Amino acid sequence: MQYLAADDHEVDRIIQNEESRIENTLDLIAAENHAPQSILEAQGSVFNLKAAEGYPGNRFHAGCKYADELESLAIERAKQLFGAGHANVQPHSGVSANLAVYFSVLDVGDRILSMKLSHGGHLSHGDPSSITSKCFNFQHYGVNLKTELIDYDEVRDLAYQYKPRMIVAGASSYSRLIDYEKMAEIAKSVSAYLLVDMAHIAGLVAAGVIPSPIPYSDFVTFTTYKTLRGGRGGVILCRQEHAKKIDRTIFPGGQGTTAMNILAAKAVCFKLAMEDDFKKLQKKTLKNAACFASEFDKMGYRTVSGGTDNHLILLDLRTKELNGNIAEKTLESVGIIVNRNVIPNDPKKPEIASGIRIGSPAITSRGMCEAEVVQIVKMMDAAMVNRDKAEVLENLLEEVLGLCKRFPVAK
Ligand code: DSN
């Protein structure tokens, strides 16, 4: 990046430091991944500068010949990858995508039934702190506190009592598969739309290694930078019958010019996700997550719901007399990056939290397999147990660096 270094050495230095941090730490944040360099190149391309309001063939700016070609390609690839009737690839984020779905077919104040954030849902599923809850009337379902699985009887009972106009399925810290067929049946029985937010698991769905929500849902939203490995941004898939409403709610409803450079990266991401290597990667992502669960289990940790079917596990640290905040900071000090996370019915506030969320996507993208997961779990345990012993932590930091050097981030 020689031009940046010449124009602004401070920003250049910060970016280089970030690159080095990524290279020399183990990223276990379930919502992150290492995107191929081609994605970053597309994001940093000249399309950054193109003003393009509207949709291919119907723009409000001239000079959109190639922007149209690019967006049409991204749309076709998204539809092909997921077998969807319609795709809108313009949302700037997952939250924008969810807001657009709500506003496309609902009226302000309408009732929506979704999973509560404290049991694994997402902010944009009507958390009181989110703008979504100020526009719509949310009621929440959670997990059964014994099994820590979604309680479909509760979902059904709430749907009958509450009569929502939309049901939202999908989560940001739920490690199990969701029964979309059951969710669709419940939604249909109360004449509600079904939205599935598959942001976390889009890569696993694209690769066909876990079931797809597409056949059962009216709307599916996702982001492209998590398991899908494609850089930042959101997407909406829907049945053809909702296409016009979705498109108009995104533009001119909620967004102006689209981010054509991000859209270029999305197109690349969808192409790469159709390749065999991507399928292999997603299979390994699942295997590595399962390995995290079984290794922590062997070491006496409690995994929420007893395991995982996807790319993440949620560890309940109460049995170790530890909280999420201390664990997150301790692990960061040895170069292992996780986020503290509430567990269902957590007695602690989110700033402290009783758990940590651990994801396998990024280390799997670095080529790590189960042998490395076993090593990482041992290092994590050693760090958490010896959190007050500076010498142990220093040695662990060296061990993490060694592992990072053996598995460089692929370009
Ligand atoms: N939704 C947030 C998470 O799961 O961490 C960020 O994408």
Side-chain angles (χ1 to χ4, degrees):
M1 294 200 285
Q2 74 270 31
Y3 298 103
L4 177 63
D7 279 357
D8 188 335
H9 69 89
E10 270 178 293
V11 169
D12 183 56
R13 175 184 54 78
I14 295 170
I15 292 176
Q16 289 199 31
N17 284 344
E18 174 64 0
E19 218 175 317
S20 157
R21 185 195 68 80
I22 291 168
E23 193 64 53
N24 295 311
T25 55
L26 294 172
D27 184 357
L28 299 182
I29 293 190
E32 291 183 353
N33 212 331
H34 301 296
Q37 195 66 18
S38 54
I39 297 281
L40 301 182
E41 283 177 0
Q43 284 191 347
S45 70
V46 287
F47 268 118
N48 214 321
L49 306 169
K50 186 71 200 99
E53 278 181 348
Y55 291 97
N58 185 20
R59 301 285 190 190
F60 290 84
H61 300 87
C64 283
K65 181 175 178 212
Y66 300 113
D68 282 7
E69 192 179 337
L70 181 66
E71 184 163 354
S72 301
L73 184 64
I75 290 169
E76 285 315 308
R77 285 179 177 174
K79 284 163 60 180
Q80 191 189 339
L81 178 62
F82 291 105
H86 179 70
N88 187 306
V89 293
Q90 293 193 5
H92 296 320
S93 68
V95 175
S96 312
N98 285 342
L99 271 170
V101 171
Y102 301 151
F103 276 104
S104 68
V105 288
L106 304 182
D107 296 314
V108 169
D110 274 354
R111 291 185 291 266
I112 304 179
L113 179 61
S114 64
M115 190 170 189
K116 62 182 101 167
L117 179 65
S118 58
H119 281 207
H122 187 257
L123 279 170
S124 63
H125 300 173
D127 186 70
S129 63
S130 157
I131 193 171
T132 53
S133 75
K134 294 182 176 57
C135 305
F136 300 97
N137 228 318
F138 279 85
Q139 176 82 20
H140 293 111
Y141 58 87
V143 295
N144 174 300
L145 290 175
K146 280 207 180 94
T147 60
E148 295 173 315
L149 303 175
I150 290 174
D151 183 343
Y152 295 95
D153 290 333
E154 187 202 11
V155 179
R156 183 177 287 106
D157 288 349
L158 285 170
Y160 286 165
Q161 274 171 34
Y162 191 60
K163 305 254 177 316
R165 286 199 65 209
M166 183 175 284
I167 294 181
V168 183
S172 65
S173 58
Y174 186 64
S175 61
R176 297 301 188 168
L177 300 179
I178 294 175
D179 188 337
Y180 303 120
E181 193 172 358
K182 210 172 264 180
M183 281 292 192
E185 174 234 303
I186 297 171
K188 198 167 171 212
S189 71
V190 294
S191 303
Y193 295 106
L194 179 63
L195 159 64
V196 175
D197 178 344
M198 64 167 186
H200 264 262
I201 53 168
L204 302 167
V205 170
V209 299
I210 63 170
S212 167
I214 311 292
Y216 305 104
S217 325
D218 296 290
F219 307 94
V220 172
T221 54
F222 63 95
T223 46
T224 40
Y225 63 94
K226 298 184 174 90
T227 45
L228 202 49
R229 249 185 129 206
R232 202 148 282 274
V235 176
I236 302 171
L237 305 174
C238 65
R239 303 213 165 116
Q240 190 55 41
E241 65 192 273
H242 302 304
K244 266 200 183 132
K245 281 187 175 168
I246 284 292
D247 287 353
R248 283 198 62 76
T249 311
I250 286 289
F251 177 83
Q255 291 186 183
T257 51
T258 188
M260 290 308 307
N261 55 321
I262 300 295
L263 214 143
K266 287 174 185 169
V268 179
C269 151
F270 301 144
K271 175 182 182 287
L272 297 179
M274 284 186 240
E275 295 179 358
D276 278 348
D277 281 351
F278 186 81
K279 290 189 176 63
K280 287 182 197 145
L281 180 83
Q282 298 296 324
K283 268 190 199 151
K284 282 189 195 157
T285 301
L286 282 185
K287 270 190 170 178
N288 282 346
C291 185
F292 269 114
S294 64
E295 288 304 305
F296 273 116
D297 186 58
K298 282 183 206 159
M299 307 199 85
Y301 287 81
R302 194 185 86 80
T303 306
V304 171
S305 86
T308 179
D309 301 321
N310 60 23
H311 63 299
L312 69 87
I313 65 166
L314 195 53
L315 270 196
D316 175 359
L317 297 170
R318 289 174 304 176
T319 51
K320 297 283 177 180
E321 287 169 17
L322 194 59
N323 66 46
N325 189 25
I326 294 176
E328 180 189 297
K329 288 197 168 87
T330 303
L331 292 168
E332 184 167 12
S333 75
V334 301
I336 298 176
I337 310 299
V338 301
N339 67 282
R340 63 184 177 278
N341 213 103
V342 290
I343 57 166
N345 243 21
D346 203 322
K348 295 195 168 66
K349 31 183 206 183
E351 289 74 17
I352 303 295
S354 295
I356 49 173
R357 189 182 62 166
I358 297 168
S360 60
I363 58 144
T364 310
S365 287
R366 287 180 93 136
M368 295 184 197
C369 293
E370 282 144 305
E372 288 73 43
V373 173
V374 172
Q375 185 186 352
I376 295 169
V377 171
K378 283 194 181 128
M379 292 192 289
M380 291 174 77
D381 176 61
M384 291 190 282
V385 169
N386 298 292
R387 57 189 177 275
D388 298 323
K389 297 189 184 136
E391 199 184 325
V392 177
L393 298 180
E394 267 168 38
N395 289 339
L396 287 167
L397 180 62
E398 281 306 309
E399 193 179 339
V400 167
L401 270 174
L403 187 57
C404 292
K405 293 224 167 354
R406 277 208 294 133
F407 292 88
V409 176
K411 294 289 179 222

